[in-house]
């Protein structure tokens, strides 16, 4: 009688790959981790691809950036260009600009890689911006994802400054104007501005250190921090499980979707090559940043149509439309409010975006975990705030390109500037009011659809001569989608006295919270969803045809 162990093949005779896998698993525990997570479910919705576009664009930026680093010379030493681009031969320029020309005209594939790098950077920031707006409007930032919201916010901000340092590296006339713009903003900081500028530029502008320092920041510091944030962001997405849109069978305690392996990984891999292909096609067909047309930077010149990339347009607009106010204080220092105030508004706006999840949590006092997303219409005040912020950004973007608007549309640049100044205060308020009313109108329509069904367009005449439209009852899936959301009650102040007749002390912060809560969840801020009793009465035909 043979022992069961005799039927087991000795490990020494196992295939080489299996033995390597066993060796690795014994030291790293790969099998246990994979067995637990390889079937992890991920929901399927087109809006989730926005984050993937940002991730894949970031990977493309890293890959193309490594290639460009091999040929770029981050030096401001001046030379006479002797490369293959004939119109620039003999022109005095920095080694940074000359190496950019060499990459564009002498390195095989250099110009295409440069353009892929630049387009991928723009698409990366667009995808992050839209992805964060999706997270904002659907409430995906709520507990337990507040920290991940901060990671995404930091990625957006660091991406903006990485882009700024990146397009400044060629040392062309356009990017040099942007660097000079930044120097003016730093100098506007009271008292310490001159010291900060001297420290950053290594002396008087333009100095000889700014390009090498930007190169180190652009290639090493910021990408390293961003890579760490991306990894942390993905780990938290994996740990918290993915959010999902409401629907039948979807709750806060489950995820309805496809498994990580093989479905999700196959789709993600194919989508990466799709994103790479689209960016490559755009880069091959659409020219961007032709530095040879603009020429090398010279401090005594400013290029025409000098505009930053879109993600810096907000700060540019703030500077352009701000009146040139300044004070000379008794100590002899000049405070340039025309630059200093925009310099303060810009980070304050970014900080407001970063802390919004904590602000809403303070208003609601909700400590539950949320894995189901909101429909934007069911959070009218939050949606209105988001729309108002976007409108504010685009108003300032118009201000940042006021000269181009004036040229292409034959308008007065002064009229555009005053429009932006007034719009800075008026447009966000109007957009807030209109957006919230639209959300409330959509809530009313959803309520009517639940109670009366879907309009079919079929008109019938009743025996007594009345004409009515036939309504088709909604399916259970549609009813669930329109009624599954939670409607909060606004916070209320406690009674003026407690059970012992002692007057309660309610601080001003709590009073403010109650007032804000009424603005978010009061009767004027949401339409009551139909109750089961109302639905049953309608379905029974009482008072309804």
């Amino acid at each position: 009688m043979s022992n069961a162990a005799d039927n087991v093949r000795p490990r020494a005779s196992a295939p080489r790959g299996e033995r390597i896998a066993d060796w690795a698993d014994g030291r790293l525990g790969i099998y246990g981790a994979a067995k637990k997570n390889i079937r992890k479910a991920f929901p399927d919705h087109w809006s989730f691809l926005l984050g993937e576009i940002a991730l894949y664009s970031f990977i493309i930026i890293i890959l193309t950036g490594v290639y460009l680093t091999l040929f770029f010379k981050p030096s401001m030493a001046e030379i006479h260009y002797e490369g293959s681009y004939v119109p620039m031969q003999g022109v005095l320029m920095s080694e940074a600009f000359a190496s950019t020309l060499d990459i564009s005209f002498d390195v095989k594939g250099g110009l295409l890689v440069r353009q892929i790098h630049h387009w991928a950077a723009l698409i990366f920031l667009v995808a992050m911006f839209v992805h964060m707006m999706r997270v904002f409007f659907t409430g995906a930032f709520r507990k337990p994802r507040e920290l991940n919201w901060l990671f995404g916010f930091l990625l957006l901000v660091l991406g903006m400054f990485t882009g700024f340092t990146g397009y400044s590296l060629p040392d062309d006339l356009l990017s040099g104007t942007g660097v000079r713009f930044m120097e003016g903003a730093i100098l506007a900081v009271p008292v310490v501005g001159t010291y900060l500028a001297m420290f950053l530029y290594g002396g008087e502008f333009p100095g000889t250190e700014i390009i090498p320092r930007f190169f180190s920041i652009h290639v090493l510091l910021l990408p390293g921090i961003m890579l760490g944030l991306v990894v942390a962001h993905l780990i938290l997405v994996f740990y918290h499980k993915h959010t999902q849109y409401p629907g039948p069978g979807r709750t806060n305690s489950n995820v309805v979707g496809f498994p990580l392996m093989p479905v999700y990984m196959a789709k993600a891999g194919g989508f990466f090559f799709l994103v790479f292909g689209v960016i490559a096609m755009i880069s091959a067909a659409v020219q961007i940043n032709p530095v040879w047309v603009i020429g090398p930077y010279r401090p005594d010149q400013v290029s025409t149509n000098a505009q930053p990339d879109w993600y810096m347009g907000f700060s540019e607009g703030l500077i352009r439309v701000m009146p040139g106010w300044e004070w000379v204080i008794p100590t002899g220092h000049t405070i340039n409010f025309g630059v200093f105030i925009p310099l303060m508004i810009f980070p304050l706006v970014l900080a407001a975006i970063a802390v919004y999840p904590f602000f809403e949590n303070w208003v609601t006092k909700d400590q539950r975990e949320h894995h189901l997303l909101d429909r934007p219409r069911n959070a009218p005040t939050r949606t209105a705030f988001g729309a108002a912020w976007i409108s504010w950004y685009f108003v300032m973007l118009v201000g940042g390109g006021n000269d181009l608007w004036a040229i292409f549309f034959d308008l007065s640049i002064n009229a555009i500037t005053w429009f932006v100044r007034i719009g800075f205060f008026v447009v966000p308020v109007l957009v807030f009011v209109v957006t919230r009313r639209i959300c409330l109108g959509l809530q009313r329509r959803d309520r009517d659809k639940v109670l009366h069904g879907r309009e079919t367009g079929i008109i019938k005449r009743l025996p007594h001569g009345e004409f009515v439209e036939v309504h088709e009852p909604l399916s259970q899936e549609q009813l669930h989608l329109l009624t599954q959301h939670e409607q909060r009650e606004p916070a209320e102040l406690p009674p003026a006295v407690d059970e012992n007749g002692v007057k309660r002390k309610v601080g001003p912060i709590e009073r403010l919270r109650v007032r804000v809560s009424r603005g978010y969840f009061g009767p004027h801020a949401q339409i009551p969803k139909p109750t089961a009793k109302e639905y049953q009465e309608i379905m029974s035909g009482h008072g309804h045809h």
Side-chain angles (χ1 to χ4, degrees):
M1 184 174 179
S2 62
N3 195 327
D6 296 337
N7 297 324
V8 179
R9 182 173 53 187
R11 301 311 298 167
S13 62
R16 183 186 298 272
E18 188 174 336
R19 280 184 281 139
I20 294 175
D22 287 344
W23 183 90
D25 182 58
R27 289 152 181 81
L28 302 175
I30 297 174
Y31 175 75
K35 183 178 180 181
K36 179 181 178 181
N37 296 310
I38 203 169
R39 301 296 293 175
K40 189 177 182 69
F42 284 84
D44 190 33
H45 192 272
W46 67 266
S47 65
F48 298 147
L49 298 179
L50 297 169
E52 293 189 32
I53 293 173
L55 174 63
Y56 301 152
S57 300
F58 182 70
I59 294 173
I60 295 168
I61 292 170
I62 297 295
L63 295 176
T64 54
V66 169
Y67 183 81
L68 294 175
T69 304
L70 300 176
F71 306 99
F72 181 73
K73 295 179 181 179
S75 170
M76 298 183 72
E78 293 188 328
I79 62 171
H80 288 279
Y81 178 70
E82 300 297 337
S84 60
Y85 185 63
V86 176
M88 285 285 177
Q89 289 179 354
V91 176
L92 187 66
M93 61 183 65
S94 67
E95 286 190 321
F97 187 83
S99 65
T100 304
L101 293 180
D102 291 339
I103 291 172
S104 302
F105 297 108
D106 298 317
V107 175
K108 290 186 180 297
L111 180 58
L112 178 61
V113 174
R114 265 195 67 225
Q115 300 219 145
I116 290 176
H117 189 74
H118 202 141
W119 275 114
L122 293 180
I123 293 174
F124 171 62
L125 285 160
V126 169
M128 276 203 299
F129 179 84
V130 181
H131 173 64
M132 287 193 69
M133 289 299 99
R134 196 276 300 174
V135 171
F136 179 87
F137 286 121
T138 60
F141 54 77
R142 294 172 293 176
K143 184 182 177 181
R145 296 177 179 82
E146 300 97 332
L147 188 59
N148 225 8
W149 168 268
L150 289 180
F151 287 166
F153 166 78
L154 289 174
L155 279 169
L156 179 64
V157 174
L158 291 176
M160 293 167 60
F161 286 100
T162 305
F164 174 77
T165 55
Y167 69 64
S168 299
L169 290 180
D171 199 30
D172 60 289
L173 191 56
L174 180 61
S175 67
T177 303
V179 175
R180 187 61 183 263
F181 175 91
M182 187 185 72
E183 187 222 14
I186 295 174
L187 289 174
V189 178
V191 183
V192 299
T194 53
Y195 300 99
L196 291 175
M198 292 288 286
F199 172 77
L200 180 62
Y201 289 88
E204 293 288 345
F205 181 86
T208 59
E209 302 296 329
I210 190 63
I211 296 301
R213 291 180 179 182
F214 271 12
F215 181 77
S216 299
I217 294 171
H218 179 75
V219 174
L220 296 175
L221 179 62
L222 295 181
I225 298 174
M226 292 177 68
L227 187 60
L229 288 173
V230 167
V231 172
H233 186 78
L234 295 177
I235 289 174
L236 285 181
V237 169
F238 205 86
Y239 174 73
H240 290 145
K241 75 183 180 183
H242 208 294
T243 56
Q244 58 185 342
Y245 285 93
R250 300 175 183 178
T251 67
N252 266 318
S253 58
N254 71 352
V255 176
V256 178
F258 296 101
L260 177 64
M261 289 290 291
V263 178
Y264 184 79
M265 289 302 296
K267 294 172 67 175
F271 190 57
F272 168 76
F273 289 106
L274 180 62
V275 171
F276 204 151
V278 170
I279 292 177
M281 286 192 296
I282 294 174
S283 304
V286 183
Q287 180 176 266
I288 190 170
N289 198 21
V291 295
W292 55 89
V293 175
I294 303 170
Y297 178 67
R298 287 184 53 181
D300 61 335
Q301 295 181 356
V302 175
S303 62
T304 57
N305 296 339
Q307 308 291 327
D309 283 335
W310 71 270
Y311 47 87
M312 286 294 183
F314 184 86
S315 58
E316 177 89 5
L318 287 171
I319 294 289
R320 290 195 182 194
V321 304
M322 180 69 191
W325 299 336
E326 64 179 31
W327 286 355
V328 179
I329 57 180
T331 60
H333 290 87
T334 299
I335 301 179
N336 187 348
F337 288 104
V339 179
F340 179 65
I341 290 180
L343 191 65
M344 293 296 101
I345 291 176
F346 185 60
L348 287 176
V349 170
L350 295 177
I353 299 172
V355 303
Y356 181 84
F358 304 95
F359 169 76
E360 186 168 306
N361 181 263
W362 171 73
V363 173
T364 61
K365 296 293 183 182
D366 184 4
Q367 300 303 320
R368 299 170 300 166
E369 290 193 0
H370 294 272
H371 303 293
L372 280 179
L373 300 174
D374 288 334
R375 301 175 76 204
R377 68 184 64 182
N378 293 330
T381 303
R382 180 205 298 152
T383 302
F385 273 128
W389 182 85
I390 292 174
S391 70
W392 197 25
Y393 186 93
F394 279 104
V395 166
M396 301 318 299
L397 202 59
V398 172
N402 56 1
D403 54 337
L404 295 182
W405 287 92
I407 292 172
F408 288 111
F409 293 96
D410 195 22
L411 300 172
S412 166
I413 194 168
N414 289 329
I416 296 172
T417 301
W418 275 105
F419 167 80
V420 175
R421 287 174 178 174
I422 298 172
F424 179 86
F425 299 99
V426 175
V427 171
V429 176
L430 292 177
V431 171
F432 177 89
V433 173
V434 171
T435 302
R436 193 158 79 157
R437 290 186 66 87
I438 290 174
C439 289
L440 294 176
L442 292 173
Q443 285 189 6
R444 290 189 185 93
R445 191 185 70 171
D446 289 347
R447 176 183 170 87
D448 289 341
K449 287 174 68 175
V450 170
L451 294 178
H452 303 290
R454 184 181 64 85
E455 297 177 356
T456 63
I458 300 174
I459 306 297
K460 285 190 175 182
R461 182 179 182 183
L462 300 181
H464 59 275
E466 180 184 2
F467 289 92
V468 297
E469 183 180 11
V470 176
H471 286 219
E472 177 184 349
L474 300 182
S475 65
Q476 289 299 314
E477 180 178 351
Q478 292 172 315
L479 288 173
H480 174 80
L481 178 63
L482 299 181
T483 59
Q484 53 76 36
H485 61 282
E486 176 188 9
Q487 288 193 316
R488 295 183 179 277
E489 294 294 331
E492 297 290 343
L493 290 173
V497 295
D498 61 18
E499 61 275 7
N500 298 318
V502 179
K503 185 177 180 181
R504 296 181 188 270
K505 292 183 179 180
V506 181
I509 295 179
E510 179 62 17
R511 293 182 183 275
L512 175 63
R513 188 186 77 84
V514 170
R515 180 170 296 182
V516 174
S517 178
R518 290 172 182 169
Y520 267 77
F521 310 112
H524 62 284
Q526 57 184 352
I527 304 300
K529 64 181 183 180
T531 63
K533 182 179 178 181
E534 289 176 318
Y535 180 75
Q536 292 299 330
E537 289 180 352
I538 290 293
M539 290 299 101
S540 63
H542 294 167
H544 179 67
H545 40 254

